[in-house]
Amino acid sequence: MDSNRHTGGCDAVLNLPYPPIRTQSRRPEYARAMLSNIGSDNSEMGAVSLYFYNSVILKPEHEAFAQCFHQISMVEMHHLDIFATLAFQMGMDPRLWCMRDRGRCYWTPAYNRYPREIRALIVNALRGEQATIRKYTRQAEVIRDPDIVEILNRIILDERHHVELFRTMLDQLP
């Protein structure tokens, strides 16, 4: 992946199937975890919006990186859809919000940090992915619904792949 032109070197999509997006669970704590994954300060909506922003500001100087961020944002949008579907299946309204102290907290773009320098921008994305992996790993350890755990583990594979892509980007910087 050359940062100065698009070479098609970024493949943000793993060639692995996702498990069926289903749950029979009605446990409110599981549904709240899925809402957190779609609308908290560490959420898929945050990743989608940040990577969209990054893809715009990196053009045209770093076109390949811009394209990679765009591709990753599409994968994150798929995750957003998966978690929203699970929350809805468990009886929650899948708005861009999470539950805090029995109240609802709407997602806001103010949750994101927006560095503009290329190295800081990629490090910010890398740290976000690492935090997401830790969050989903904790969820997979405590949730006792095998369908949800299987989905979380599959999404973790995507997030680990994104970490690899961001590390590759960093390696290509002068």
Side-chain angles (χ1 to χ4, degrees):
M1 179 183 352
D2 179 340
S3 70
N4 296 316
R5 59 182 167 65
H6 177 62
T7 62
C10 176
D11 189 3
V13 179
L14 289 176
N15 192 19
L16 297 171
Y18 288 87
I21 311 308
R22 66 173 180 236
T23 180
Q24 298 301 314
S25 178
R26 293 294 176 264
R27 297 193 61 173
E29 64 271 26
Y30 296 174
R32 285 191 297 274
M34 297 306 104
L35 288 179
S36 173
N37 295 348
I38 65 174
S40 71
D41 58 348
N42 176 6
S43 67
E44 296 296 335
M45 188 61 215
V48 168
S49 64
L50 181 65
Y51 299 166
F52 164 76
Y53 173 80
N54 291 352
S55 74
V56 171
I57 68 165
L58 288 173
K59 293 182 238 174
E61 185 177 354
H62 300 285
E63 184 65 32
F65 287 1
Q67 289 298 319
C68 193
F69 271 105
H70 176 76
Q71 288 178 28
I72 295 170
S73 76
M74 301 303 283
V75 174
E76 302 294 5
M77 192 177 301
H78 185 187
H79 299 167
L80 180 67
D81 181 66
I82 289 168
F83 289 131
T85 300
L86 289 170
F88 187 68
Q89 288 175 0
M90 289 185 272
M92 289 288 203
D93 187 351
R95 297 181 193 189
L96 296 178
W97 61 11
C98 62
M99 307 297 280
R100 289 203 182 123
D101 300 324
R102 300 188 194 267
R104 293 174 182 97
C105 184
Y106 279 93
W107 179 84
T108 171
Y111 286 150
N112 286 340
R113 291 182 53 236
Y114 297 95
R116 294 187 50 106
E117 187 274 321
I118 184 83
R119 183 171 298 280
L121 180 149
I122 296 167
V123 167
N124 182 54
L126 175 64
R127 288 181 179 154
E129 292 290 332
Q130 292 167 330
T132 298
I133 291 166
R134 287 190 300 274
K135 178 181 182 179
Y136 296 168
T137 300
R138 281 191 308 271
Q139 288 176 354
E141 290 169 353
V142 300
I143 290 176
R144 298 291 175 235
D145 179 314
D147 291 325
I148 296 173
V149 171
E150 185 179 11
I151 293 164
L152 283 165
N153 286 330
R154 172 58 184 86
I155 290 173
I156 288 168
L157 294 176
D158 285 337
E159 307 300 4
R160 287 181 178 152
H161 181 60
H162 300 163
V163 165
E164 292 172 18
L165 292 170
F166 293 145
R167 285 184 175 149
T168 299
M169 286 181 188
L170 286 172
D171 290 345
Q172 293 178 9
L173 295 177

